[in-house]
Amino acid sequence: MPAKRDRLPIVIDPSMAFGTGHHATTQGCLEAIELLYDHYGPPHTALDLGTGSGILAIALAMLDVPQLWAIDIDPIAIAEARKNSAVNKVTSRIHFSELPTEQLPTPFALVVANLFSSTLVTLAPVLSMAVEQTGHAILSGIQLDQEQEVLTAYCPPTWRLVTRFPREEWVTLVCQRI
């Protein structure tokens, strides 16, 4: 992603967690976050589902999201995300947890999920409950040949596709709850 002068630098040591910011799916998520921020400002609540290194939660914290959760089923990922948030001086702005989405204080204005396509499809009913009406979901980790399967799971009357960010053999989708 080309650098803009007003972008904030994020320092990441992924260690044993996913997410350095160099992969096409992470870059697509960051572009989508930037697009939504430019259009709507910071969401009042957000969830980084499957936080890995914490890079997406850190980006959201730097954009002053007031209520921000970062969850992962891997305790090592949560530990690494905490370390990276400390390096970026945003730890106090993020609630880290291993809780399942269903046990969080939903709904969220924004959910960012950079996961496998099959996981995104499985989670469609959960995310339909976790994202507030007119809220957004940024879905990534989708190979181009799996895009239609994900779009079928996130379709009207519950969702509408806002835009997509194709990059290399991957695509990031921005969907809105309707």
Side-chain angles (χ1 to χ4, degrees):
M1 169 164 45
K4 288 185 178 177
R5 270 195 251 180
D6 58 346
R7 285 193 172 145
L8 302 170
I10 299 174
V11 178
I12 296 294
D13 175 7
S15 188
M16 296 178 64
F18 289 105
T20 62
H22 293 109
H23 195 270
T25 60
T26 309
Q27 291 176 4
C29 287
L30 292 168
E31 286 181 277
I33 289 168
E34 184 175 62
L35 172 88
L36 292 174
Y37 179 84
D38 287 347
H39 194 267
Y40 299 103
H44 60 92
T45 55
L47 168 64
D48 177 9
L49 177 58
T51 195
S53 69
I55 187 169
L56 301 174
I58 292 165
L60 289 163
M62 289 180 159
L63 295 175
D64 294 324
V65 174
Q67 291 291 319
L68 175 57
W69 286 78
I71 64 172
D72 205 300
I73 60 172
D74 181 357
I76 293 171
I78 292 293
E80 294 302 321
R82 283 183 200 274
K83 286 181 196 173
N84 286 318
S85 69
V87 169
N88 288 278
K89 299 179 172 81
V90 295
T91 303
S92 64
R93 298 182 193 174
I94 305 170
H95 301 282
F96 293 97
S97 179
E98 294 173 48
L99 288 173
T101 307
E102 301 88 342
Q103 293 181 19
L104 298 177
T106 58
F108 293 96
L110 174 63
V111 173
V112 183
N114 188 3
L115 306 165
F116 293 117
S117 296
S118 58
T119 304
L120 291 171
V121 169
T122 300
L123 287 174
V126 172
L127 291 186
S128 293
M129 299 301 295
V131 176
E132 69 185 29
Q133 202 77 27
T134 72
H136 292 88
I138 297 172
L139 309 171
S140 198
I142 306 164
Q143 292 183 321
L144 287 170
D145 64 349
Q146 298 169 333
E147 179 179 11
Q148 191 55 54
E149 181 183 343
V150 175
L151 284 171
T152 299
Y154 294 84
C155 64
T158 307
W159 296 96
R160 77 173 182 91
L161 177 65
V162 174
T163 192
R164 54 192 294 280
F165 292 91
R167 181 182 288 271
E168 299 165 17
E169 69 269 12
W170 302 92
V171 64
T172 298
L173 305 175
V174 179
C175 297
Q176 185 176 36
R177 270 274 278 119
I178 49 177

